[in-house]
Amino acid sequence: MPLRSVSAAYLAHAGDLASNPGQQAAYDSMGHCVVLAGPGSGKTKTLVLKLARIMAEDVGAPRGAACITYSQECARELTRRLERLGLREAPNLFIGTVHGFCLRHLLMPYGRLADLPVPFPLAVATQRQADQAMKRIGDRLFGVGHPPPPHGCLRHSVSGRSPPQG
């Protein structure tokens, strides 16, 4: 559902930012916004209200907005708070991680232009699939039973088909 059709419920909460000049400045800023502050300082609240305002007042089709974070947990929290304001998922809004943004908006649409072998449909490997792939790689490179490769090598694995058996 397009966010424009939703009431301006965010305005009732935007007044809460007036008591904090930093939050108010971030909310009122035009263009890109990066909020750097300590825990519990109201970063998420400020970003959610700013994003709600941007979607309601500034972004018209075919334009869109992206709210990029570093963790899935943060992306889920941003989405939950937007939903509390009555804002639902929209095709012109991306809320997610850096990796998700690159995958959905760069690799998938433009990978074929660079002759990258991007399988379709693309699926992100589960943690179990990533751990199994890491074990197979370790077994092939270092021998069966050898300690696995360094932690984190496949943390952002992408899989388009079943892994090769061997």
Side-chain angles (χ1 to χ4, degrees):
M1 156 166 90
L3 295 178
R4 270 188 193 285
S5 66
V6 178
S7 70
Y10 69 94
L11 291 172
H13 297 278
D16 297 344
L17 302 179
S19 62
N20 184 314
Q23 288 177 330
Q24 189 67 51
Y27 177 78
D28 291 336
S29 68
M30 300 301 287
H32 304 289
C33 180
V34 176
V35 176
L36 301 172
S41 60
K43 293 181 301 291
T44 304
K45 177 181 180 177
T46 303
L47 287 172
V48 165
L49 291 171
K50 180 176 179 71
L51 186 56
R53 181 182 58 82
I54 287 170
M55 293 304 296
E57 299 174 14
D58 302 333
V59 176
R63 295 177 57 218
C67 187
I68 300 173
T69 183
Y70 288 102
S71 73
Q72 287 287 352
E73 182 181 337
C74 183
R76 283 189 293 271
E77 182 62 21
L78 289 164
T79 301
R80 271 193 295 273
R81 290 192 193 195
L82 281 168
E83 287 175 349
R84 281 189 226 139
L85 292 175
L87 304 172
R88 300 285 183 254
E89 193 173 319
N92 64 340
L93 174 62
F94 174 84
I95 299 174
T97 64
V98 171
H99 300 97
F101 182 84
C102 290
L103 179 65
R104 187 179 306 163
H105 295 284
L106 300 176
L107 182 61
M108 292 302 296
Y110 301 109
R112 287 182 182 82
L113 295 175
D115 291 326
L116 295 176
V118 180
F120 188 81
L122 187 70
V124 176
T126 65
Q127 187 61 52
R128 183 169 179 244
Q129 290 169 327
D131 291 343
Q132 289 172 343
M134 182 64 97
K135 182 177 179 343
R136 280 194 307 277
I137 290 168
D139 289 349
R140 286 183 187 164
L141 291 175
F142 308 112
V144 177
H146 191 278
H151 177 72
C153 286
L154 287 179
R155 288 294 168 233
H156 302 290
S157 304
V158 176
S159 171
R161 58 181 191 263
S162 298
Q165 301 301 314

